[in-house]
Amino acid sequence: MEDQIFRTDKRLWNQVIFGIVIFAALGILGIQWLSFFLDQIRQLRETDPVLANQKLISLLNIVSVVHGLVSVSFATYFLLLGINILKGGKYPPEKMRVIKDTKVQIGNRARHLAYAHISIALLVLSTNIIVWRLRAILDKWLKGEISP
């Protein structure tokens, strides 16, 4: 039997490259903003430590929410992909666009790929639990409710 191959979708490839460039630019801007904000907090800590802690808690909340949204998006994608692989019995699932020529995997290989995608989704979601727990601990520490 001849191997079935999903051919590269050039439009999707261009969209992925464009998305990477946009995310990289946003990441650079976000890091610069974060650095600027942390410098302001450092300076404010010398004059008004209470206000500095409040601003740090706000920053911590923003970072936690952004992390949560991004990680839930990735986890949802991987979970749905894993479910679609299990339903269809092959990878890539029907009508899926790919950014490079991809040999179709069927049977046990497809099932293992599906379980791997679902495991990745659960692993990514578990990072949310860790980040939110750390956020809660840091929040209490900054408010002086617990000691370091």
Side-chain angles (χ1 to χ4, degrees):
M1 182 173 123
E2 189 175 315
D3 293 333
Q4 186 181 6
I5 295 178
F6 274 48
R7 296 287 173 205
T8 302
D9 184 332
K10 300 289 185 193
R11 185 167 173 238
L12 177 65
W13 193 89
N14 291 334
Q15 290 171 345
V16 167
I17 296 299
F18 179 74
I20 289 170
V21 169
I22 293 298
F23 277 116
L26 288 174
I28 290 169
L29 290 174
I31 289 170
Q32 288 179 342
W33 174 81
L34 186 61
S35 176
F36 175 74
F37 196 76
L38 288 173
D39 283 341
Q40 283 185 331
I41 290 174
R42 240 181 257 120
Q43 292 172 0
L44 186 59
R45 193 166 209 127
E46 295 170 5
T47 58
D48 190 357
V50 174
L51 182 59
N53 282 350
Q54 289 174 349
K55 287 189 175 280
L56 200 53
I57 290 169
S58 296
L59 176 65
L60 194 58
N61 289 334
I62 291 168
V63 170
S64 297
V65 168
V66 169
H67 173 269
L69 292 173
V70 170
S71 63
V72 166
S73 299
F74 280 123
T76 301
Y77 171 77
F78 282 112
L79 183 63
L80 292 176
L81 181 56
I83 290 169
N84 286 335
I85 294 169
L86 285 175
K87 281 183 181 177
K90 68 179 185 175
Y91 175 81
E94 284 296 322
K95 299 182 181 178
M96 181 177 178
R97 301 183 307 162
V98 293
I99 60 172
K100 69 174 197 145
D101 289 352
T102 305
K103 181 180 167 187
V104 174
Q105 306 291 326
I106 57 173
N108 280 340
R109 294 184 98 176
R111 195 170 65 251
H112 291 306
L113 283 169
Y115 293 145
H117 282 87
I118 292 169
S119 297
I120 290 170
L122 295 174
L123 185 64
V124 169
L125 284 176
S126 69
T127 65
N128 277 339
I129 296 167
I130 294 167
V131 167
W132 283 96
R133 183 66 187 138
L134 285 173
R135 188 201 63 73
I137 292 169
L138 285 172
D139 189 35
K140 287 179 181 179
W141 179 65
L142 289 170
K143 289 179 179 176
E145 296 173 11
I146 59 174
S147 60

